[in-house]
Amino acid sequence: MKIETIAIHAGNVNDEGTGAVIQPITMSTTFLREADGSYPSEYIYSRSANPNRTQLENVLAKLENGVDAAAFSSGNAAGMTVFQSLKPGTHVICPDDMYHGLRNQLKTLFAGILEFDFIDVNDATVLEARIRPNTGLIWLETPSNPLLKITDIEKVASIAKERDIKVAVDNTFATPVCQQPLALGADLVMHSSTKYFGGHSDLMGGALITPEKNDWWTKIRQIQEMGGAIPSPMDCYYLVRSLKTLPYRVKGHVHNAQLLAEHLENHPKIESVMYPGLQSHPQHEIAKKQMQYFGGMLSFCVKGGAEDARRVISKLQLFTIATSLGGVETLIEHRASVEGPDTKTPHNLLRVSVGLEHIDDLIADIEQALE
Ligand SMILES: *Cc1c(COP(=O)(O)O)cnc(C)c1O
């Protein structure tokens, strides 16, 4: 089945009791047990499993072409589960451009527990030179946040496989509509469901998807259940509902992002535009090879400094000034000031989560703001 069909059907079961076409929300935290100690349904207690979470995990696994998925209460909880699943002392290689929340998590919560390096993972020479005997995981994020750098997943996976190192990919920016890392050799996919999966800036969630049920996956499931960073039945319900329109929403985001990127690239007040769908993007060829679409995120640098960038956003009427991404409304932010003092992000950079408004209205707004 194609992804549009999976998105609609894989997460739904008709309710046998009532005939409801849409699966009901099961708020119950606990499930009936027989006097003999057995459980008549597969459910026991909602931290371990809940019908709405099962349905969400089914659709997530199928969307990424995996065999199983685990849903979490946030993207960071999903990321933390991956890092907690590693043996203390494991060396982790991460990209130099990485979601700052997970970079800070590693540096703060995992200091002294794991070893890590932040490098240009796309440079095979650098990557191979940094691999140590205790390297257990290469973490990838492509397109990256906020520079939209592209990493060749297949190339990194083949380097890792030779040395028995696992590769996990944060696929939040791309979504499985644009890119399917498991098919390119990744061992695990991670998502912040808060972004395109939820799609309406109104719920938080995270996910991990595996291509096989191996020992690593057993450990991840244990952390999910014993750690308990699980999404509520309500959030699972809303996510299953939102995922039904994911393919069409993403295609709309992609359409607008490509047109906005092309428009901004020719603008005299703009220094550079970072979007993998542009010919001028330094890794455009890799993006073409591994992505079906180029995603809905772009960044651009205004000519001048931080003040010039802030002046542009202060004049925007339609673009909402806020962090986060993946919602139907266009969001713009001055990324360096969100990331804090140790940021390497240029101070004239603005990051845009291109929404589903009409592209003409978006272009008109940015035109007047740049005047
Ligand atoms: C938002 C985000 C996360 C973290 O997800 P939360 O749901 O905010 O915890 C991780 N990676 C990327 C790329 C993100 O954009």
Side-chain angles (χ1 to χ4, degrees), residues 16-83:
E16 282 176 17
T18 61
V21 167
I22 298 300
Q23 188 183 338
I25 303 170
T26 305
M27 295 300 283
S28 191
T29 54
T30 188
F31 298 83
L32 287 175
R33 193 176 183 190
E34 298 290 3
D36 67 5
S38 66
Y39 292 91
S41 79
E42 64 199 279
Y43 298 102
I44 301 170
Y45 182 62
S46 272
R47 176 155 44 71
S48 311
N50 168 283
N52 296 99
R53 199 164 88 227
T54 304
Q55 290 319 112
L56 172 61
E57 290 174 344
N58 278 346
V59 68
L60 289 170
K62 293 200 172 83
L63 285 171
E64 281 287 5
N65 263 313
V67 305
D68 203 9
F72 294 88
S73 52
S74 72
N76 266 26
M80 181 146 99
T81 299
V82 177
F83 301 134

Side-chain angles (χ1 to χ4, degrees), residues 74-77 99 102 141 145 170 172-173 190 192-195 204-206 324-325 351:
S74 72
N76 266 26
Y99 173 65
L102 284 173
E141 186 185 325
N145 182 7
D170 182 341
T172 302
F173 266 36
M190 176 253 156
S192 167
S193 312
T194 314
K195 314 298 168 52
M204 300 214 58
S324 199
L325 60 120
R351 191 190 78 177

Side-chain angles (χ1 to χ4, degrees), residues 239-253:
L239 261 175
V240 167
R241 191 176 104 141
S242 294
L243 284 169
K244 291 179 187 178
T245 55
L246 177 78
Y248 286 95
R249 282 190 284 108
V250 168
K251 283 187 265 188
H253 288 290

Side-chain angles (χ1 to χ4, degrees), residues 134-368:
N134 61 334
T135 304
L137 177 70
I138 302 174
W139 183 269
L140 299 181
E141 186 185 325
T142 176
S144 70
N145 182 7
L147 299 178
L148 283 304
K149 290 213 256 180
I150 302 293
T151 303
D152 190 330
I153 299 173
E154 213 164 16
K155 192 167 91 184
V156 173
S158 77
I159 293 172
K161 212 141 272 163
E162 282 169 18
R163 296 161 175 84
D164 220 13
I165 298 168
K166 300 286 187 204
V167 174
V169 180
D170 182 341
N171 206 30
T172 302
F173 266 36
T175 82
V177 182
C178 297
Q179 168 178 286
Q180 304 199 333
L182 299 182
L184 299 165
D187 302 290
L188 197 71
V189 168
M190 176 253 156
H191 276 280
S192 167
S193 312
T194 314
K195 314 298 168 52
Y196 289 103
F197 283 5
H200 297 73
S201 308
D202 58 3
L203 69 83
M204 300 214 58
L208 297 174
I209 300 106
T210 185
E212 57 174 18
K213 291 191 182 174
N214 48 25
D215 292 347
W216 193 23
W217 187 249
T218 304
K219 179 94 188 179
I220 284 169
R221 278 291 197 190
Q222 280 175 345
I223 299 170
Q224 181 198 30
E225 181 177 354
M226 297 182 189
I230 43 128
S232 71
M234 207 71 168
D235 284 344
C236 293
Y237 172 83
Y238 278 124
L239 261 175
V240 167
R241 191 176 104 141
S242 294
L243 284 169
K244 291 179 187 178
T245 55
L246 177 78
Y248 286 95
R249 282 190 284 108
V250 168
K251 283 187 265 188
H253 288 290
V254 166
H255 171 81
N256 280 355
Q258 180 76 37
L259 293 176
L260 186 63
E262 286 169 7
H263 184 85
L264 293 174
E265 194 174 36
N266 299 318
H267 201 287
K269 295 257 175 77
I270 286 176
E271 187 182 281
S272 59
V273 180
M274 287 141 260
Y275 182 66
L278 291 176
Q279 295 275 335
S280 61
H281 188 287
Q283 294 109 24
H284 179 62
E285 289 307 315
I286 304 171
K288 269 202 332 215
K289 187 181 73 160
Q290 70 184 16
M291 300 180 82
Q292 284 81 52
Y293 304 99
F294 299 113
M297 295 298 297
L298 63 88
S299 292
F300 64 94
C301 289
V302 176
K303 279 187 186 158
E307 274 320 299
D308 300 276
R310 283 176 194 281
R311 199 170 316 118
V312 172
I313 49 176
S314 75
K315 287 195 201 153
L316 286 164
Q317 307 284 317
L318 192 56
F319 289 49
T320 305
I321 309 170
T323 192
S324 199
L325 60 120
V328 292
E329 64 286 305
T330 296
L331 298 180
I332 190 161
E333 72 172 338
H334 183 249
R335 193 68 199 163
S337 48
V338 173
E339 295 187 347
D342 71 338
T343 180
K344 291 194 192 99
T345 300
H347 285 265
N348 59 343
L349 179 141
L350 296 174
R351 191 190 78 177
V352 185
S353 169
V354 186
L356 297 179
E357 300 91 344
H358 197 284
I359 185 61
D360 293 351
D361 295 326
L362 293 175
I363 288 177
D365 194 30
I366 195 96
E367 270 298 316
Q368 64 79 24

